[in-house]
Amino acid sequence: MTLLRTHSTDVNQKQKQGPLSGIRVLDMTRVLAGPYCTMLLGDMGAEVIKVEHPTRGDDTRFWGPPFKSYKHKPPTNISSKLYSTPPEFPGESAYYLCVNRNKKSITIDMKQKQGQEILRELAAKADVLVENFVPGKLAEYGLAYKDLCKVNPRLVYASITGYGSTGPYSKRPGYDVIIEAEAGLMHITGERDGPPVKVGVAVTDIMTGLYTHGAIMAALISRATTNRGQHIDASLIQTQASILANIGSNYLIGGQEASRWGTKHPSIAPYEVFATKDGSICVGAGNNSQFASLCRRINRPDLQKDPRFQTNTDRVANRIELVSIINQCLGQITTKEALLMLEGSGLPFGPVNNIKQTFEHPQLLSRNAVQEINHPFAGRIKMVGPAVEYSDSSVAIRTPPPMLGQHTEDVLRNVLGYSDTQLEKAVRDGGATLYNYGI
């Protein structure tokens, strides 16, 4: 039994293929958690077919600024009986661009019977389907797992929802910031005496995408043995509960309620951000050896013998006094001077970088973390490349995020084998919308 089916993809056959080359994914997701998951599959070589609303597309196409301006505007005069005039966008949204590379976009109206039939035909030829509709919505169109597994028993069907497919909250829509609040993350994030705050990036969405991506990979491996697909039920709330990790375990095992600590660690001191003359630096000392090294580097070797700071337990108990001393030492020098002072000390330390400084980080530069690709209308665009590299497979940005409906005709003709007559009927019956971008 083999894991993969061979499909035509955009992968250059002269290059190393991705580990998921030959896998076809029907992507019925939008916004972040789902598109992040399917982007990862695309990075690994899967052929990802993104289903979008015929006129609006993915919600994030309008989320901005910032937008990447068009070097030359997409054509608006290529319309005919078969082709519609593409909707106009203010540019390519940075939000949309960040999670939609390595995909083909098709514009299908699933409310129309013809659109539903197209999606069933695609599901029959897919290995994976990923969707993030409220539970029950796709069942209204005959596109639930129980419907599609009949036309393709090998289909791995992943549902990403806010609260899961069962339970009293299952019908509620899911939003990252709401789940951060409901599932404990916001309660433990923020300064010690400040209000709860959300994490700076939609981490619950992203982690759910990662969880689902891993679940899909495991289901594909299982299929190689069973020759059957299965339904994956992923949710934001269970993902968030699971990544509470030791904080959640502290409550479940010891009944210990968590609180906010800012950048501090509740069980280690010092382990936090300290102000310098011109910025901030994060420093940790998790054992006596590291603490001794820190004392020497800040020219306070006497602290090693201070009875208040002999052990980590002592240092945690006397955290306020210790932090005050370290702040006084580091506050007299610049961040650059502090970094040079701590270099080679064996301590964990690093500057608090803004986003510009992050992308100028020597390590990220040396690893080519930021990559560029040519967009047919927006020109060269920069994006953060795949975070994982394989020794014998290609994980790469092969194609830019697609224009809305850029590949509808290509997919209907070359994946489903539609004739001119079938294509015209799909358009006439409102199931598909074709745009001709001249590319």
Side-chain angles (χ1 to χ4, degrees), residues 38 76 162 182 187 353-354 365 375 400 417:
T38 54
T76 57
E182 280 191 284
H187 174 71
N353 287 331
N354 60 25
L365 293 174
H375 186 279

Side-chain angles (χ1 to χ4, degrees), residues 73-105:
K73 285 194 173 183
T76 57
N77 58 352
I78 305 179
S79 60
S80 65
K81 185 177 180 180
L82 191 61
Y83 300 108
S84 298
T85 301
E88 292 191 44
F89 296 95
E92 292 296 286
S93 158
Y95 201 120
Y96 167 78
L97 291 175
C98 81
V99 287
N100 285 291
R101 62 180 179 240
N102 292 332
K103 300 179 184 181
K104 298 175 180 178
S105 171

Side-chain angles (χ1 to χ4, degrees), residues 7-18 20-22 42-47 394 398-399:
H7 300 303
S8 63
T9 70
D10 290 330
V11 178
N12 186 334
Q13 298 300 317
K14 294 182 181 180
Q15 299 176 345
K16 291 188 295 184
Q17 290 192 331
L20 290 184
S21 178
D43 288 351
M44 293 184 177
E47 178 191 25
S394 172
R398 304 183 313 282
T399 58

Side-chain angles (χ1 to χ4, degrees), residues 217-366:
M217 303 287 274
L220 288 173
I221 294 172
S222 174
R223 190 182 72 173
T225 302
T226 66
N227 200 32
R228 291 191 62 81
Q230 57 187 297
H231 183 235
I232 294 168
D233 184 359
S235 69
L236 301 185
I237 196 165
Q238 282 183 262
T239 294
Q240 181 51 61
S242 74
I243 64 173
L244 288 174
N246 61 297
I247 302 298
S249 187
N250 289 347
Y251 175 77
L252 294 174
I253 302 301
Q256 180 180 323
E257 182 56 80
S259 58
R260 290 181 287 283
W261 285 88
T263 64
K264 299 176 176 66
H265 193 290
S267 306
I268 304 173
Y271 200 98
E272 60 186 88
V273 168
F274 297 93
T276 65
K277 187 185 290 185
D278 61 351
S280 300
I281 184 172
C282 191
V283 183
N287 55 50
N288 290 342
S289 176
Q290 289 182 340
F291 181 66
S293 179
L294 175 62
C295 293
R296 290 192 296 270
R297 291 302 176 110
I298 64 173
N299 200 27
R300 287 296 306 269
D302 58 296
L303 297 179
Q304 300 175 62
K305 299 179 180 180
D306 192 313
R308 296 174 297 173
F309 312 132
Q310 288 294 291
T311 67
N312 180 66
T313 302
D314 296 328
R315 293 189 287 273
V316 170
N318 296 286
R319 183 197 305 269
I320 294 175
E321 296 92 330
L322 178 59
V323 167
S324 177
I325 293 169
I326 298 173
N327 265 324
Q328 186 176 15
C329 295
L330 294 177
Q332 298 177 22
I333 58 178
T334 65
T335 299
K336 184 177 181 179
E337 290 169 337
L339 295 173
L340 289 172
M341 180 182 70
L342 295 174
E343 187 65 40
S345 64
L347 290 163
F349 70 94
V352 178
N353 287 331
N354 60 25
I355 304 304
K356 179 177 184 295
Q357 292 166 330
T358 295
F359 287 125
E360 292 173 348
H361 196 292
Q363 186 65 19
L364 291 179
L365 293 174
S366 72

Side-chain angles (χ1 to χ4, degrees), residues 89-139:
F89 296 95
E92 292 296 286
S93 158
Y95 201 120
Y96 167 78
L97 291 175
C98 81
V99 287
N100 285 291
R101 62 180 179 240
N102 292 332
K103 300 179 184 181
K104 298 175 180 178
S105 171
I106 63 172
T107 39
I108 305 295
D109 189 346
M110 70 177 68
K111 293 182 179 180
Q112 304 298 321
K113 289 185 178 181
Q114 179 67 37
Q116 295 162 18
E117 182 57 32
I118 290 171
L119 293 174
R120 274 190 286 272
E121 292 178 36
L122 286 171
K125 292 179 174 290
D127 297 283
V128 177
L129 183 150
V130 188
E131 59 91 7
N132 63 350
F133 290 84
V134 172
K137 175 55 68 174
L138 290 184

